[in-house]
Amino acid sequence: MITMGPLLALLLAGEAVKEPPSCDLELVVLGAGQDAGAPQLGNPSDDGPHLLPTSLGLIDRDGRKRFLFEATPAITQQVHALDRVEPGRDDAPGGLGLDGVFLTHAHIGHYLGLAQFGVESAGADGQRVFAMERMAQFLRRNGPWSQLVELGNIEIIELVEGERARVSDTLTVEPMRMPHRDEFSETVGYLLTTPGKSAVFIPDLDSWEEWEEMSGDSLEALVSRVDFAFVDATFFDDDELPGRDMSAIPHPRVVHTMKRLSHLPEAERAKVHFIHYNHTNPIRDPGSAQSLMVADKSFAIARRGDRHCLVEGG
Ligand SMILES: [Zn+2]
Ligand SMILES: [Zn+2]
């Protein structure tokens, strides 16, 4: 017997088939792991879910632009994944269909992928890279990054704290300083503002309380101002690294962030998407008790392949 799929059945019945809703400005999660992803070097028997380092792609369909947040060691795979969602224009600066790459700081998971713009790989021509002053200086002054600048593979555009950079007709990006291990660069998160929804991306910081002290802002107020908050979830709690005293290890724990926001209404909590989880973090596994607990408290966990619409198609 031949069975009929639901779509074919609808067509034969003469019913209109609804197109999926279009989206003019879309965020795509290209990775949600900590810098080293998972499995990490030295863990050959780790057979848990595979993680790529944290990265977001942003597609501006109206303006025919695409942006990348972070240049991770998995950049090749991540840009190809973005290509499968929406190919870039051939004439975008750099030649890879990317109108800008935004860097948060100089730790391995966040910028090593820049190397792929060089002559040994894509040989980009003027790929725009947005970074803060110290990060920009670090790249210009230290090999192999300095070679990318000298050969014109990348063109660094410096961002200024507190200033919104207009990168397309419908998108501004503003760096926000974050407290973190700043050996080589400062560390920022990014606020993405559109005529529709807004998002904040803070993959790495030492603590919310330190950030509140230095910014005069508050986590609750930040969440209230945006529609999506992708925030540091490196560690779940203090029991995660057996045999190690975790009190001196920075990063807000997932349980702490949830506790801080537990008094907020459900719709506010649902804006929070935990990202940048370490290979030891049990939320890495969507079926773990800890992942279920996060969902039960109405928070979200970012997963590679997630897509969120910031501006609906007209
Ligand atoms: Zn990191
Ligand atoms: Zn870091």
Side-chain angles (χ1 to χ4, degrees):
M1 194 179 84
I2 298 169
T3 53
M4 206 164 35
L7 182 63
L8 183 60
L10 279 173
L11 286 171
L12 290 176
E15 289 189 34
V17 179
K18 267 195 195 159
E19 284 275 306
S22 64
C23 179
D24 282 347
L25 209 69
E26 187 174 31
L27 261 182
V28 184
V29 176
L30 299 171
Q34 177 262 11
D35 297 47
Q40 280 194 10
L41 180 64
N43 294 270
S45 52
D46 178 349
D47 57 0
H50 188 73
L51 296 180
L52 297 185
T54 288
S55 172
L56 299 179
L58 199 140
I59 299 162
D60 173 359
R61 291 197 172 86
D62 256 2
R64 301 193 56 240
K65 290 185 173 182
R66 302 188 314 170
F67 301 93
L68 189 66
F69 287 82
E70 309 291 34
T72 88
I75 190 171
T76 305
Q77 193 178 340
Q78 290 173 320
V79 172
H80 291 172
L82 188 62
D83 291 340
R84 286 191 291 275
V85 179
E86 184 77 33
R89 340 186 289 288
D90 292 339
D91 62 343
L96 293 160
L98 294 169
D99 294 86
V101 178
F102 289 84
L103 305 177
T104 60
H105 65 300
H107 286 164
I108 67 164
H110 304 264
Y111 81 106
L112 288 195
L114 287 180
Q116 298 295 336
F117 292 121
V119 288
E120 299 91 340
S121 181
D125 179 15
Q127 175 60 58
R128 284 185 193 150
V129 174
F130 292 83
M132 292 279 285
E133 185 185 3
R134 254 189 90 199
M135 180 80 215
Q137 215 168 69
F138 171 74
L139 296 173
R140 288 191 190 109
R141 291 184 180 173
N142 295 280
W145 323 108
S146 53
Q147 181 179 280
L148 300 172
V149 178
E150 281 153 22
L151 298 182
N153 301 123
I154 64 171
E155 182 198 332
I156 300 175
I157 299 167
E158 280 189 31
L159 295 167
V160 179
E161 187 187 5
E163 284 186 16
R164 290 182 180 193
R166 177 162 291 284
V167 294
S168 85
D169 288 348
T170 51
L171 175 70
T172 64
V173 180
E174 178 187 333
M176 302 163 63
R177 284 289 297 271
M178 291 293 145
H180 193 43
R181 286 188 295 123
D182 289 346
E183 304 93 336
F184 300 121
S185 73
E186 65 282 268
T187 299
V188 294
Y190 285 112
L191 177 67
L192 284 59
T193 308
T194 81
K197 293 178 175 171
S198 58
V200 72
F201 174 54
I202 305 174
D204 241 333
L205 82 161
D206 284 359
S207 87
W208 292 122
E209 290 71 23
E210 272 175 70
W211 169 71
E212 287 172 332
E213 205 167 310
M214 69 187 243
S215 67
D217 208 339
S218 81
L219 176 59
E220 293 84 347
L222 177 65
V223 170
S224 77
R225 294 198 300 271
V226 298
D227 299 281
F228 299 96
F230 295 91
V231 301
D232 183 338
T234 308
F235 300 111
F236 189 76
D237 61 23
D238 281 336
D239 304 326
E240 197 170 315
L241 303 177
R244 274 178 75 178
D245 172 17
M246 286 185 69
S247 61
I249 300 178
H251 296 288
R253 310 296 188 250
V254 171
V255 287
H256 177 69
T257 303
M258 292 198 295
K259 196 169 168 199
R260 281 283 315 262
L261 301 176
S262 61
H263 64 288
L264 297 182
E266 188 180 326
E268 290 293 293
R269 280 177 274 143
K271 295 173 174 178
V272 174
H273 294 246
F274 289 110
I275 201 163
H276 191 273
Y277 27 91
N278 196 46
H279 68 129
T280 54
N281 189 328
I283 65 169
R284 167 185 171 190
D285 177 358
S288 71
Q290 290 84 350
S291 287
L292 301 178
M293 187 215 283
V294 171
D296 193 50
K297 294 180 186 296
S298 304
F299 296 93
I301 299 168
R303 304 284 179 200
R304 177 155 42 109
D306 285 355
R307 294 167 65 171
H308 302 285
C309 192
L310 300 182
V311 177
E312 304 283 345

PDB file of all heavy atoms in Angstrom, residues 35 105-108 110 180-181 187 204-205 251 276, ligand 2:
ATOM      1  N   ASP A  35      35.511  27.350  25.501  1.00  0.00           N
ATOM      2  CA  ASP A  35      36.560  27.552  24.493  1.00  0.00           C
ATOM      3  C   ASP A  35      37.033  26.277  23.783  1.00  0.00           C
ATOM      4  O   ASP A  35      37.261  26.273  22.571  1.00  0.00           O
ATOM      5  CB  ASP A  35      37.788  28.210  25.136  1.00  0.00           C
ATOM      6  CG  ASP A  35      37.491  29.589  25.665  1.00  0.00           C
ATOM      7  OD1 ASP A  35      36.457  29.758  26.364  1.00  0.00           O
ATOM      8  OD2 ASP A  35      38.271  30.510  25.371  1.00  0.00           O
ATOM      9  N   HIS A 105      37.154  38.688  23.280  1.00  0.00           N
ATOM     10  CA  HIS A 105      38.429  38.772  24.007  1.00  0.00           C
ATOM     11  C   HIS A 105      39.416  37.746  23.488  1.00  0.00           C
ATOM     12  O   HIS A 105      39.068  36.871  22.685  1.00  0.00           O
ATOM     13  CB  HIS A 105      38.216  38.629  25.515  1.00  0.00           C
ATOM     14  CG  HIS A 105      37.704  37.288  25.974  1.00  0.00           C
ATOM     15  ND1 HIS A 105      36.511  36.744  25.556  1.00  0.00           N
ATOM     16  CD2 HIS A 105      38.235  36.378  26.842  1.00  0.00           C
ATOM     17  CE1 HIS A 105      36.328  35.577  26.142  1.00  0.00           C
ATOM     18  NE2 HIS A 105      37.355  35.320  26.923  1.00  0.00           N
ATOM     19  N   ALA A 106      40.671  37.859  23.998  1.00  0.00           N
ATOM     20  CA  ALA A 106      41.760  37.038  23.479  1.00  0.00           C
ATOM     21  C   ALA A 106      41.975  35.756  24.296  1.00  0.00           C
ATOM     22  O   ALA A 106      43.071  35.511  24.812  1.00  0.00           O
ATOM     23  CB  ALA A 106      43.051  37.860  23.412  1.00  0.00           C
ATOM     24  N   HIS A 107      40.949  34.942  24.446  1.00  0.00           N
ATOM     25  CA  HIS A 107      41.113  33.584  24.961  1.00  0.00           C
ATOM     26  C   HIS A 107      40.820  32.619  23.815  1.00  0.00           C
ATOM     27  O   HIS A 107      40.012  32.936  22.926  1.00  0.00           O
ATOM     28  CB  HIS A 107      40.180  33.319  26.148  1.00  0.00           C
ATOM     29  CG  HIS A 107      40.628  33.998  27.409  1.00  0.00           C
ATOM     30  ND1 HIS A 107      39.822  34.181  28.507  1.00  0.00           N
ATOM     31  CD2 HIS A 107      41.837  34.553  27.723  1.00  0.00           C
ATOM     32  CE1 HIS A 107      40.507  34.806  29.459  1.00  0.00           C
ATOM     33  NE2 HIS A 107      41.731  35.044  29.007  1.00  0.00           N
ATOM     34  N   ILE A 108      41.445  31.441  23.870  1.00  0.00           N
ATOM     35  CA  ILE A 108      41.550  30.614  22.657  1.00  0.00           C
ATOM     36  C   ILE A 108      40.241  30.345  21.924  1.00  0.00           C
ATOM     37  O   ILE A 108      40.218  30.320  20.706  1.00  0.00           O
ATOM     38  CB  ILE A 108      42.277  29.276  22.928  1.00  0.00           C
ATOM     39  CG1 ILE A 108      41.456  28.362  23.850  1.00  0.00           C
ATOM     40  CG2 ILE A 108      43.678  29.505  23.463  1.00  0.00           C
ATOM     41  CD1 ILE A 108      41.945  26.898  23.815  1.00  0.00           C
ATOM     42  N   HIS A 110      37.776  32.130  21.474  1.00  0.00           N
ATOM     43  CA  HIS A 110      37.064  33.319  21.006  1.00  0.00           C
ATOM     44  C   HIS A 110      37.730  34.013  19.830  1.00  0.00           C
ATOM     45  O   HIS A 110      37.118  34.879  19.215  1.00  0.00           O
ATOM     46  CB  HIS A 110      36.891  34.285  22.184  1.00  0.00           C
ATOM     47  CG  HIS A 110      36.182  33.653  23.354  1.00  0.00           C
ATOM     48  ND1 HIS A 110      34.831  33.797  23.565  1.00  0.00           N
ATOM     49  CD2 HIS A 110      36.634  32.837  24.342  1.00  0.00           C
ATOM     50  CE1 HIS A 110      34.477  33.109  24.655  1.00  0.00           C
ATOM     51  NE2 HIS A 110      35.554  32.522  25.146  1.00  0.00           N
ATOM     52  N   HIS A 180      36.932  39.950  33.710  1.00  0.00           N
ATOM     53  CA  HIS A 180      37.399  38.628  33.282  1.00  0.00           C
ATOM     54  C   HIS A 180      38.927  38.629  33.346  1.00  0.00           C
ATOM     55  O   HIS A 180      39.532  39.669  33.573  1.00  0.00           O
ATOM     56  CB  HIS A 180      36.883  38.374  31.853  1.00  0.00           C
ATOM     57  CG  HIS A 180      37.015  36.951  31.395  1.00  0.00           C
ATOM     58  ND1 HIS A 180      36.711  35.865  32.180  1.00  0.00           N
ATOM     59  CD2 HIS A 180      37.387  36.420  30.198  1.00  0.00           C
ATOM     60  CE1 HIS A 180      36.913  34.757  31.489  1.00  0.00           C
ATOM     61  NE2 HIS A 180      37.322  35.062  30.290  1.00  0.00           N
ATOM     62  N   ARG A 181      39.557  37.484  33.140  1.00  0.00           N
ATOM     63  CA  ARG A 181      41.018  37.398  33.100  1.00  0.00           C
ATOM     64  C   ARG A 181      41.504  38.143  31.868  1.00  0.00           C
ATOM     65  O   ARG A 181      41.447  37.637  30.761  1.00  0.00           O
ATOM     66  CB  ARG A 181      41.459  35.936  32.929  1.00  0.00           C
ATOM     67  CG  ARG A 181      41.338  35.047  34.116  1.00  0.00           C
ATOM     68  CD  ARG A 181      42.001  33.697  33.834  1.00  0.00           C
ATOM     69  NE  ARG A 181      41.357  32.932  32.785  1.00  0.00           N
ATOM     70  CZ  ARG A 181      41.954  32.497  31.694  1.00  0.00           C
ATOM     71  NH1 ARG A 181      43.225  32.773  31.465  1.00  0.00           N
ATOM     72  NH2 ARG A 181      41.312  31.771  30.801  1.00  0.00           N
ATOM     73  N   THR A 187      37.813  42.398  27.971  1.00  0.00           N
ATOM     74  CA  THR A 187      36.748  41.453  27.620  1.00  0.00           C
ATOM     75  C   THR A 187      35.438  42.219  27.517  1.00  0.00           C
ATOM     76  O   THR A 187      35.143  43.073  28.356  1.00  0.00           O
ATOM     77  CB  THR A 187      36.618  40.359  28.703  1.00  0.00           C
ATOM     78  OG1 THR A 187      37.857  39.655  28.782  1.00  0.00           O
ATOM     79  CG2 THR A 187      35.491  39.381  28.369  1.00  0.00           C
ATOM     80  N   ASP A 204      31.497  35.154  28.533  1.00  0.00           N
ATOM     81  CA  ASP A 204      32.580  34.945  29.486  1.00  0.00           C
ATOM     82  C   ASP A 204      32.666  36.115  30.449  1.00  0.00           C
ATOM     83  O   ASP A 204      32.927  37.243  30.030  1.00  0.00           O
ATOM     84  CB  ASP A 204      33.915  34.885  28.706  1.00  0.00           C
ATOM     85  CG  ASP A 204      34.636  33.558  28.857  1.00  0.00           C
ATOM     86  OD1 ASP A 204      34.449  32.896  29.882  1.00  0.00           O
ATOM     87  OD2 ASP A 204      35.398  33.205  27.938  1.00  0.00           O
ATOM     88  N   LEU A 205      32.484  35.864  31.739  1.00  0.00           N
ATOM     89  CA  LEU A 205      32.769  36.898  32.736  1.00  0.00           C
ATOM     90  C   LEU A 205      33.073  36.218  34.064  1.00  0.00           C
ATOM     91  O   LEU A 205      32.753  35.041  34.248  1.00  0.00           O
ATOM     92  CB  LEU A 205      31.625  37.898  32.876  1.00  0.00           C
ATOM     93  CG  LEU A 205      30.417  37.563  33.758  1.00  0.00           C
ATOM     94  CD1 LEU A 205      29.659  38.831  34.110  1.00  0.00           C
ATOM     95  CD2 LEU A 205      29.492  36.585  33.077  1.00  0.00           C
ATOM     96  N   HIS A 251      33.609  32.720  37.149  1.00  0.00           N
ATOM     97  CA  HIS A 251      32.413  32.438  36.323  1.00  0.00           C
ATOM     98  C   HIS A 251      31.180  32.276  37.209  1.00  0.00           C
ATOM     99  O   HIS A 251      31.215  31.503  38.165  1.00  0.00           O
ATOM    100  CB  HIS A 251      32.534  31.172  35.449  1.00  0.00           C
ATOM    101  CG  HIS A 251      33.602  31.262  34.398  1.00  0.00           C
ATOM    102  ND1 HIS A 251      33.472  32.055  33.283  1.00  0.00           N
ATOM    103  CD2 HIS A 251      34.824  30.674  34.323  1.00  0.00           C
ATOM    104  CE1 HIS A 251      34.576  31.936  32.548  1.00  0.00           C
ATOM    105  NE2 HIS A 251      35.414  31.130  33.158  1.00  0.00           N
ATOM    106  N   HIS A 276      28.186  28.711  26.463  1.00  0.00           N
ATOM    107  CA  HIS A 276      29.605  28.635  26.852  1.00  0.00           C
ATOM    108  C   HIS A 276      29.791  27.627  27.987  1.00  0.00           C
ATOM    109  O   HIS A 276      30.522  27.844  28.933  1.00  0.00           O
ATOM    110  CB  HIS A 276      30.103  30.048  27.266  1.00  0.00           C
ATOM    111  CG  HIS A 276      31.596  30.185  27.452  1.00  0.00           C
ATOM    112  ND1 HIS A 276      32.231  29.902  28.642  1.00  0.00           N
ATOM    113  CD2 HIS A 276      32.574  30.601  26.620  1.00  0.00           C
ATOM    114  CE1 HIS A 276      33.524  30.147  28.532  1.00  0.00           C
ATOM    115  NE2 HIS A 276      33.754  30.563  27.303  1.00  0.00           N
TER     116      HIS A 276
HETATM  117 ZN    ZN B   2      37.706  33.848  28.553  1.00  0.00          ZN
END
